[in-house]
């Protein structure tokens, strides 16, 4: 990737996923992920996590997830997974590490407790139907027990190639939606 177009010029940012249109391979989306992992510290989110779009086969890239786009664009955005149905319809599953509104629980100091007791938004699914210009969250309720606070392991997403409303997302369970992400059932 041309670093001047897609890399937000930071040591702690890289590309974690890439989706290419099957009908027009010049249309590509790439997910950047800001993280800093050391033996004594892990920070798996940041405002440089986002989705970029190329319309020329990867020669140039433009940030598609601006603050105005409807997609989270702040320091709590973690790993992002992408699935492209066609050049207009794209899904993105995101590990949203922002605290839930009205959260009363502070992050515990014990690392093991923090994995399960920190009230973060967690797994979210967004969909764009205009080639990445605008994004809407597909569901009203939280997708609980999917990522907890370690969504950086997951953010996997797949679509049925014949039906854009059949969505699979991977986390602690594997979830399936037949209604474009409005509701989910666990696959056992």
């Amino acid at each position: 990737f041309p670093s001047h177009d897609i890399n937000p010029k930071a040591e702690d940012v890289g590309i974690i996923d890439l989706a290419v249109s099957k009908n027009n391979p010049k249309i590509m989306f790439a997910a950047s992920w800001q993280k800093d992992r050391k033996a004594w510290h892990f920070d798996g989110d940041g405002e440089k996590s986002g989705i970029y779009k190329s319309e020329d086969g990867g020669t140039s890239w433009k940030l598609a997830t601006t603050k105005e786009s409807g997609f989270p664009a702040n320091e709590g955005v973690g790993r992002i997974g992408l699935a492209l149905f066609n050049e207009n319809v794209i899904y993105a599953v995101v590990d949203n590490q922002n605290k839930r509104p009205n959260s009363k629980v502070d992050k515990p100091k014990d690392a093991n407790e923090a994995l399960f007791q920190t009230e973060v938004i967690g797994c979210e699914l967004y969909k764009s139907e205009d080639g990445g210009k605008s994004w809407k969250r597909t569901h009203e309720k939280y997708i609980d027990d999917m990522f907890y606070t370690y969504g950086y392991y997951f953010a996997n997403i797949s679509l049925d190639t014949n039906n854009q409303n059949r969505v699979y997302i991977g986390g602690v369970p594997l979830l399936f939606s037949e209604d474009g992400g409005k509701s989910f059932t666990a696959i056992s």
Side-chain angles (χ1 to χ4, degrees):
F1 292 107
S3 62
H4 64 279
D5 285 335
I6 196 167
N7 187 343
K9 298 199 183 340
E11 289 182 15
D12 59 350
V13 179
I15 301 304
I16 190 68
D17 203 357
L18 178 71
V20 180
S21 171
K22 63 184 174 190
N23 299 327
N24 181 356
K26 290 188 176 213
I27 304 295
M28 307 167 81
F29 289 85
S32 65
W33 183 26
Q34 182 175 353
K35 71 172 185 65
D36 182 27
R37 184 166 195 144
K38 298 186 173 50
W40 60 90
H41 174 74
F42 180 70
D43 185 11
D45 52 12
E47 61 185 18
K48 293 179 185 115
S49 295
I51 301 171
Y52 290 81
K53 181 179 182 180
S54 175
E55 296 179 338
D56 56 14
T59 301
S60 63
W61 295 87
K62 182 178 178 186
L63 182 65
T65 50
T66 62
K67 292 188 187 301
E68 299 79 28
S69 71
F71 195 88
N74 57 46
E75 67 282 344
V77 178
R79 183 174 176 166
I80 300 167
L82 303 171
L84 197 60
F85 185 74
N86 59 39
E87 51 266 14
N88 292 313
V89 177
I90 182 167
Y91 284 88
V93 61
V94 62
D95 174 26
N96 190 334
Q97 289 295 300
N98 287 294
K99 282 193 173 183
R100 292 183 177 190
N102 305 318
S103 174
K104 294 182 173 81
V105 177
D106 288 329
K107 189 172 186 176
K109 293 187 191 305
D110 179 84
N112 288 325
E113 283 184 43
L115 284 174
F116 300 100
Q117 293 181 9
T118 303
E119 291 186 18
V120 297
I121 294 170
C123 179
E124 289 187 303
L125 184 63
Y126 285 82
K127 181 179 182 181
S128 175
E129 296 181 295
D130 58 7
K133 293 177 189 158
S134 64
W135 298 83
K136 290 183 182 170
R137 195 170 83 163
T138 63
H139 47 96
E140 291 182 21
K141 297 180 180 179
Y142 294 115
I143 304 174
D144 286 326
D145 303 327
M146 181 66 169
F147 285 173
Y148 296 100
T149 59
Y150 49 95
Y152 52 87
Y153 280 119
F154 308 112
N156 296 314
I157 180 169
S158 294
L159 301 176
D160 182 324
T161 57
N162 296 313
N163 183 341
Q164 66 175 296
N165 292 314
R166 294 174 54 90
V167 182
Y168 300 83
I169 54 177
V172 175
L174 180 62
L175 297 182
F176 171 66
S177 174
E178 288 192 89
D179 56 14
K182 292 177 186 167
S183 63
F184 294 93
T185 55
I187 298 174
S188 53

